[in-house]
Amino acid sequence: NAGVTQTPKFRILKIGQSMTLQCTQDMNHNYMYWYRQDPGMGLKLIYYSVGAGITDKGEVPNGYNVSRSTTEDFPLRLELAAPSQTSVYFCASSYYGAWDEKLFFGSGTQLSVL
Amino acid sequence: GIQVEQSPPDLILQEGANSTLRCNFSDSVNNLQWFHQNPWGQLINLFYIPSGTKQNGRLSATTVATERYSLLYISSSQTTDSGVYFCAVEDGTASKLTFGTGTRLQVTL
């Protein structure tokens, strides 16, 4: 049981480049999330999904896009990378409606935009 | 949106000591969770505790929803307890958690 898997673990981008952060979970969770964590700070929600085909914006969605074609996968797309997107990105999932709606995180992607 | 404040921001303990971390929130919540981020950055869920008290080994948590706070107790601390402890709450919108800024704990020998 792998849980929440993110790839890549590290990436350096040049300003203006694009990339996709991959996230997959094998726990049959209906809800999935993308958070970013800036140095010394808490986590901020970028986008979330309540099920396949349904996505919505979080607190800091500008510069990002998401899709959710399957229950398992929730990729995050960065278009025209900017230095302000340098951060650690975490994917997470939970089973909303369960008696215990714990949030499980992937191991994170450290992204630098130079 | 809902505000989450954690205290203290930093804490240094000697191994074996006990500690209490506090999380205050500004509105009623449907969901409250505590997380530990270890020095390698991994986030581990400690408790799902929108109300009441739970215990897991040396850790326990209590949420008093009517007074809008939660406490995380760490007893007999170990160096492996070092890291940042986050409280996160959800105020009723699609299980979107809002995170506090964390308590950074260092346990020394």
Side-chain angles (χ1 to χ4, degrees):
Chain A
N1 194 345
V4 181
T5 303
Q6 288 183 239
T7 56
K9 292 190 184 303
F10 303 95
R11 185 72 185 267
I12 298 175
L13 287 180
K14 294 182 179 179
I15 294 172
Q17 287 185 321
S18 301
M19 76 165 293
T20 299
L21 281 65
Q22 301 293 342
C23 175
T24 187
Q25 53 90 11
D26 62 359
M27 297 176 281
N28 199 32
H29 284 170
N30 47 4
Y31 280 36
M32 295 187 74
Y33 310 82
W34 276 104
Y35 284 88
R36 61 176 284 174
Q37 184 179 30
D38 298 330
M41 303 294 288
L43 283 75
K44 293 190 176 182
L45 183 64
I46 305 171
Y47 270 95
Y48 68 101
S49 167
V50 302
I54 306 170
T55 63
D56 206 349
K57 297 177 181 179
E59 183 183 356
V60 289
N62 292 342
Y64 307 94
N65 277 299
V66 293
S67 61
R68 186 142 179 231
S69 55
T70 67
T71 300
E72 294 79 19
D73 300 306
F74 191 41
L76 177 71
R77 177 82 176 163
L78 279 71
E79 305 282 1
L80 300 174
S84 60
Q85 293 178 304
T86 294
S87 190
V88 180
Y89 291 83
F90 288 97
C91 180
S93 71
S94 67
Y95 197 86
Y96 188 75
W99 67 273
D100 187 343
E101 296 173 3
K102 280 188 172 182
L103 190 66
F104 292 88
F105 280 92
S107 57
T109 296
Q110 189 166 330
L111 175 67
S112 295
V113 182
L114 305 175
Chain B
I2 193 167
Q3 304 299 310
V4 183
E5 293 185 357
Q6 293 187 241
S7 60
D10 296 280
L11 186 58
I12 299 175
L13 297 175
Q14 209 162 23
E15 196 173 41
N18 303 326
S19 63
T20 301
L21 283 58
R22 187 175 180 103
C23 172
N24 292 333
F25 42 95
S26 61
D27 207 342
S28 58
V29 297
N30 296 325
N31 186 341
L32 187 148
Q33 301 187 35
W34 283 96
F35 297 88
H36 175 223
Q37 186 168 38
N38 65 25
W40 297 271
Q42 188 176 8
L43 282 155
I44 303 298
N45 192 301
L46 299 175
F47 293 104
Y48 167 81
I49 186 165
S51 63
T53 298
K54 289 186 177 180
Q55 181 158 6
N56 184 3
R58 296 180 297 103
L59 302 181
S60 64
T62 295
T63 297
V64 184
T66 53
E67 297 187 23
R68 299 181 185 172
Y69 73 88
S70 183
L71 302 174
L72 178 69
Y73 305 96
I74 304 174
S75 65
S76 303
S77 59
Q78 301 176 358
T79 56
T80 52
D81 295 331
S82 297
V84 183
Y85 290 80
F86 290 104
C87 168
V89 303
E90 178 250 313
D91 61 356
T93 310
S95 207
K96 295 188 297 181
L97 291 176
T98 298
F99 281 74
T101 53
T103 292
R104 184 173 298 276
L105 174 64
Q106 183 180 351
V107 181
T108 62
L109 292 172

